[in-house]
């Protein structure tokens, strides 16, 4: 029972490069989410998806792109990475709008 | 936009004692959800407890209980019989408005240290 996985777990990149963070869940949950966690800010919602091909912006979407062609995958792309995007990124999923979110283990991203 | 405030950046408690973590939020909505999440050093986010705003009864989960004061927009977490494994960051979170429960807002966290 893999649950929800994220890859890579650690990533170092340079300013201006494109980076894609992967999120995969084995539960067939309808809803998926991407958050970033920074000191002093807790978690902030970047994007979420209610189903395949349905995505919407969260609190801090600028500089990020998402897609969801399959229910189980929800990749997050930084099209041109900036130092301010250095953070820990968490993916989450849940079955329904009133159900519990389950979080992945996180991806630590460093942009030099 | 909704906001969530945790005014205690760090707290300590002796093992077996009780501790209360504070959380306040700001919203004009009447229907929403509130949550407490635990993040141990492993960084895994774990749901501790959740409260539906339209339910007046305070939620409880074993040693964890909340004091939900809707009018005051307060949502505190009480941990009874604290254990060493409770050492973690604790985040308060809000989900709403009612037409979009997919919007989550988190507080900045309280670091809880349980001392032996």
């Amino acid at each position: 029972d893999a649950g929800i996985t994220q890859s890579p777990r650690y990533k170092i990149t340079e300013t201006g490069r494109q980076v894609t963070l992967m999120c995969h869940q084995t539960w067939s949950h309808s809803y998926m989410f991407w958050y970033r966690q920074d000191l002093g800010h807790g978690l902030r919602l970047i994007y979420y998806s209610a189903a395949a091909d349905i995505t919407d912006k969260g609190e801090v979407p600028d500089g990020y792109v998402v897609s969801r062609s399959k229910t189980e995958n929800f990749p997050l792309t930084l099209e041109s990475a900036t130092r301010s995007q250095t953070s820990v990124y968490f993916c989450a999923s849940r079955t329904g709008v009133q159900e519990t979110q389950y979080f992945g283990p996180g991806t630590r991203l460093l942009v030099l | 936009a909704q906001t969530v405030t945790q005014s205690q950046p760090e707290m300590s408690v002796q093992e077996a004692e009780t501790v209360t973590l504070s959380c306040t939020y700001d919203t004009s909505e009447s229907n929403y959800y509130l949550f407490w999440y635990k993040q141990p050093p492993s960084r895994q986010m774990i749901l501790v407890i959740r409260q539906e705003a339209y339910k007046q009864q305070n939620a409880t989960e074993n040693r964890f209980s909340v004091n939900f004061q809707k009018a005051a927009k307060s949502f505190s977490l009480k941990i009874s019989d604290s254990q060493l494994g409770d050492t973690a960051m604790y985040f308060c979170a809000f989900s709403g408005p009612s037409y979009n429960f997919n919007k989550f807002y988190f507080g900045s966290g309280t670091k809880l240290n349980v001392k032996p």
Side-chain angles (χ1 to χ4, degrees):
Chain A
D1 185 4
I4 183 165
T5 57
Q6 294 183 233
S7 61
R9 295 293 312 278
Y10 302 91
K11 177 74 176 178
I12 300 174
T13 191
E14 295 177 337
T15 302
R17 295 208 179 224
Q18 183 179 80
V19 177
T20 296
L21 309 183
M22 302 301 295
C23 178
H24 175 77
Q25 50 103 355
T26 60
W27 296 308
S28 298
H29 285 176
S30 297
Y31 297 87
M32 296 187 75
F33 306 81
W34 273 108
Y35 294 89
R36 61 178 290 173
Q37 183 177 26
D38 306 290
L39 279 174
H41 286 282
L43 274 72
R44 290 182 290 175
L45 181 64
I46 304 171
Y47 271 95
Y48 64 95
S49 168
D53 297 321
I54 300 175
T55 62
D56 206 349
K57 297 177 180 179
E59 189 180 354
V60 289
D62 293 344
Y64 303 95
V65 174
V66 293
S67 61
R68 194 156 176 221
S69 58
K70 293 184 177 182
T71 300
E72 61 268 28
N73 295 326
F74 191 38
L76 176 73
T77 298
L78 289 66
E79 292 191 306
S80 179
T82 64
R83 290 196 183 89
S84 64
Q85 292 177 310
T86 291
S87 187
V88 180
Y89 291 85
F90 286 95
C91 179
S93 71
R94 64 178 181 176
T95 53
V97 72
Q98 298 184 5
E99 301 303 317
T100 299
Q101 279 188 105
Y102 293 92
F103 284 82
T107 293
R108 186 184 292 271
L109 176 67
L110 174 61
V111 183
L112 300 175
Chain B
Q2 334 301 323
T3 59
V4 179
T5 302
Q6 294 179 248
S7 58
Q8 306 152 313
E10 193 162 352
M11 297 186 72
S12 293
V13 64
Q14 290 295 133
E15 193 175 9
E17 303 209 329
T18 295
V19 64
T20 299
L21 280 57
S22 300
C23 173
T24 59
Y25 58 94
D26 188 22
T27 184
S28 58
E29 300 294 323
S30 61
N31 193 20
Y32 47 86
Y33 287 83
L34 294 163
F35 308 83
W36 279 99
Y37 282 90
K38 170 184 177 180
Q39 186 179 44
S42 66
R43 287 194 172 271
Q44 182 69 44
M45 293 289 288
I46 303 164
L47 178 68
V48 175
I49 200 167
R50 80 172 195 173
Q51 175 81 41
E52 298 168 71
Y54 62 86
K55 289 188 176 180
Q56 292 189 341
Q57 187 173 5
N58 289 324
T60 62
E61 285 288 340
N62 301 312
R63 298 183 294 107
F64 299 89
S65 62
V66 297
N67 183 6
F68 174 47
Q69 302 289 327
K70 191 172 184 179
K73 297 179 183 175
S74 171
F75 184 61
S76 60
L77 174 70
K78 185 172 83 171
I79 306 174
S80 304
D81 185 26
S82 297
Q83 300 176 358
L84 297 178
D86 295 334
T87 292
M89 284 289 289
Y90 286 82
F91 293 96
C92 179
F94 172 103
S95 170
S98 57
Y99 56 85
N100 193 351
F101 286 124
N102 286 314
K103 294 262 188 175
F104 280 79
Y105 302 88
F106 283 75
S108 54
T110 296
K111 185 175 181 181
L112 178 66
N113 184 26
V114 181
K115 299 180 178 179

